[in-house]
């Protein structure tokens, strides 16, 4: 399951989006953009055909290259950089008003971390590929990586224990890695 942003000029907000002929869950649409979740079972290599259907009229097909993982962390600025979409262990939004503490847990929200395994004994779908983390250049323990309970399958939650040796500050860099691929640079959290 990968979230992708496919820009479609003139698409209507009620358009149906198909990937290899399968209707994809649409998370957001406007006159110029459709955010969708790649349907499960399409594989992780090769290309997928993308098509918008609106009022019975199909757009010309586009192509999307598939990969096992293309991870990204959501940010509060909605630009892909800056303060990450992160909750502290007390469920407050990480930021200037509520920085995380060394030795505490954070919950990082992202997308593109790859396929989910079937639900385990905890009834949650964990990511099939292992996820590792770096906070301020220091390796951090990932304690959970999988679906964000109660949300769309396109949203993944990564729980991380902030190491005692991590730097403190207002913009401590955070990166996650899956299958040798890193999330985008320029994402930060606040640690006191």
């Amino acid at each position: 399951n990968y979230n992708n942003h496919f820009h479609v000029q003139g698409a209507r907000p009620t358009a149906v989006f198909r990937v290899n002929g399968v209707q994809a869950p649409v998370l957001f649409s406007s006159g110029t953009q459709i955010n969708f979740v790649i349907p499960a079972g399409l594989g992780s290599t090769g290309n997928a055909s993308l098509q918008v259907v609106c009022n019975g009229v199909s757009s010309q097909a586009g192509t999307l290259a598939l990969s096992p993982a293309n991870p990204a962390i959501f940010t509060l600025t909605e630009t892909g950089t800056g303060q990450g979409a992160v909750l502290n262990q007390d469920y407050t939004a990480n930021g200037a008003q509520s920085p995380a503490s060394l030795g505490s847990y954070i919950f990082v929200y992202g997308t593109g971390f790859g396929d989910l395994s079937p639900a385990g004994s905890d009834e949650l779908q964990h990511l099939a590929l292992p996820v590792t983390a770096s906070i301020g250049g220091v390796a951090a323990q990932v304690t959970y990586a999988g679906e964000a309970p109660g949300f769309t399958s396109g949203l993944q939650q990564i729980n991380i224990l902030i190491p005692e040796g991590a730097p403190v500050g207002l913009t401590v860099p955070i990166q996650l890695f899956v299958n040798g691929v890193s999330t985008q640079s320029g994402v930060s959290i606040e640690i006191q």
Side-chain angles (χ1 to χ4, degrees), residues 94-123:
N94 179 268
Q97 302 303 314
S98 188
S101 299
L102 295 173
S104 68
Y105 292 90
I106 56 172
F107 314 119
V108 180
Y109 294 92
T111 190
F113 288 85
D115 289 331
L116 296 168
S117 297
S121 60
D122 60 3
E123 299 182 14

Side-chain angles (χ1 to χ4, degrees), residues 69-73 111-113 132 134 174-186:
N70 189 13
I73 299 172
T111 190
F113 288 85
T132 58
S134 171
I174 181 169
Q175 282 193 291
L176 306 178
F177 306 86
V178 61
N179 204 38
V181 181
S182 171
T183 55
Q184 75 273 30
S185 61

Side-chain angles (χ1 to χ4, degrees), residues 33 46 50 66 91 122 149-150 188:
Q33 179 176 320
L50 308 173
L66 300 174
Y91 299 104
D122 60 3
S188 62

Side-chain angles (χ1 to χ4, degrees), residues 16 26-27 42 97 127 136 139 153 172 175:
V16 174
V26 174
L27 304 176
L42 288 181
Q97 302 303 314
L127 290 168
S153 62
V172 178
Q175 282 193 291

Side-chain angles (χ1 to χ4, degrees), residues 7-77:
H7 298 279
V8 180
Q9 190 66 26
R12 294 187 183 181
T14 57
V16 174
F17 204 78
R18 297 193 183 281
V19 180
N20 284 357
V22 177
Q23 186 169 333
V26 174
L27 304 176
F28 169 82
S29 65
S30 71
T32 59
Q33 179 176 320
I34 299 173
N35 297 359
F36 62 96
V37 178
I38 295 286
L42 288 181
S44 59
T45 59
N47 293 317
S49 172
L50 308 173
Q51 194 166 40
V52 177
V53 180
C54 189
N55 295 331
V57 177
S58 298
S59 71
Q60 194 171 39
T63 303
L64 174 70
L66 300 174
S67 67
N70 189 13
I73 299 172
F74 287 110
T75 60
L76 298 183
T77 61

